[in-house]
Amino acid sequence: MLDGKRALLIFLHGSGSTGSDLRRALGFIADGHLLRVLAAEDVAVLTPSARLRPYKLFGNAPASVWYDRPAYVPTAPEDTASIDESAANLAPTLDEARRAGIPVIVGGFSMGGGMALHLACRVAATHQLAGVFALSSYMCAASPALQLEGARHLPPIYMRHGDADDFILPEWGQATAKELTEAGATVNFELLPGVPHDMRDHEIIQLTDWILARLGIA
């Protein structure tokens, strides 16, 4: 899977979606800019799917989500067990990249961005992470993840959040950026004027530039 690749990007989808859905979306946004540019630079782009699990916000119906949660607000209790399970499911891919000796960037949109932050806090001490990104994302307030060993070794973090997002509120993302900064991470957080809970062309073009810079390609 990673033979001949210079680096690996793991891009995680939002709640209720799938990796295939995300890859299709990335093929449309900015005319597939991210996928085209990274393919030309021999960067592998993986969009894995979360496993189906009972999801409290869907009345415990099975859903493709990275972790369970009883409410959207950051003050809701964190379901750490389900986060750990998803991190364990993603670990073999990270291990393969480590054996291949290539850098990894992990990120995602909405819940996928939150999962990427959680994953980084769990593996940054043992794996070669070149960066983490989170788009329209947040973590629970005072997340236990920030006390893990990996949280002391986090790579640069790129966060973007639409200021018109009425689903995952921008102040939730800002609060997460503040907590990550206080934990010692370098966080590049910006609000995107007029953007709702969505990924826009200019956002993905700028993200691609950041990815290339972090990989030393730009």
Side-chain angles (χ1 to χ4, degrees):
M1 178 178 66
L2 298 179
D3 289 347
K5 298 300 183 182
R6 299 169 66 180
L8 170 64
L9 169 66
I10 301 175
F11 202 139
L12 304 179
H13 63 78
S15 59
S17 186
T18 66
S20 296
D21 292 339
L22 175 58
R23 197 168 198 94
R24 274 194 299 274
L26 292 173
F28 285 107
I29 300 170
D31 294 322
H33 179 81
L34 181 145
L35 295 178
R36 287 188 290 104
V37 169
L38 296 186
E41 298 293 349
D42 291 323
V43 176
V45 179
L46 298 185
T47 57
S49 293
R51 296 185 180 179
L52 290 174
R53 68 174 71 252
Y55 190 41
K56 290 184 178 70
L57 293 179
F58 290 177
N60 284 323
S64 177
V65 292
W66 297 107
Y67 45 85
D68 198 10
R69 52 189 172 193
Y72 288 111
V73 293
T75 52
E78 179 181 294
D79 192 320
T80 305
S82 58
I83 296 170
D84 286 339
E85 181 181 337
S86 286
N89 293 337
L90 293 165
T93 302
L94 294 171
D95 291 341
E96 183 178 351
R98 181 169 56 182
R99 289 192 296 271
I102 61 174
V104 178
I105 289 179
V106 60
F109 170 71
S110 196
M111 178 185 274
M115 185 64 220
L117 294 170
H118 279 289
L119 181 64
C121 288
R122 286 159 169 76
V123 306
T126 56
H127 292 73
Q128 187 182 356
L129 294 185
V132 183
F133 65 90
L135 310 178
S136 305
S137 307
Y138 71 105
M139 300 169 74
C140 284
S143 171
L146 297 177
Q147 304 304 317
L148 298 175
E149 175 65 20
R152 295 195 285 275
H153 300 272
L154 289 171
I157 298 171
Y158 181 96
M159 297 182 71
R160 293 294 182 270
H161 211 121
D163 70 0
D165 191 337
D166 60 0
F167 180 57
I168 302 301
L169 302 184
E171 52 262 38
W172 300 353
Q174 288 175 308
T176 293
K178 183 174 183 290
E179 287 198 69
L180 287 164
T181 300
E182 290 172 348
T186 300
V187 182
N188 177 344
F189 179 95
E190 287 186 13
L191 290 173
L192 303 178
V195 175
H197 193 67
D198 198 2
M199 293 185 290
R200 295 298 173 89
D201 287 2
H202 66 281
E203 179 181 10
I204 294 302
I205 290 170
Q206 291 171 3
L207 171 64
T208 305
D209 290 343
W210 178 82
I211 290 169
L212 293 174
R214 288 304 312 153
L215 296 175
I217 295 173

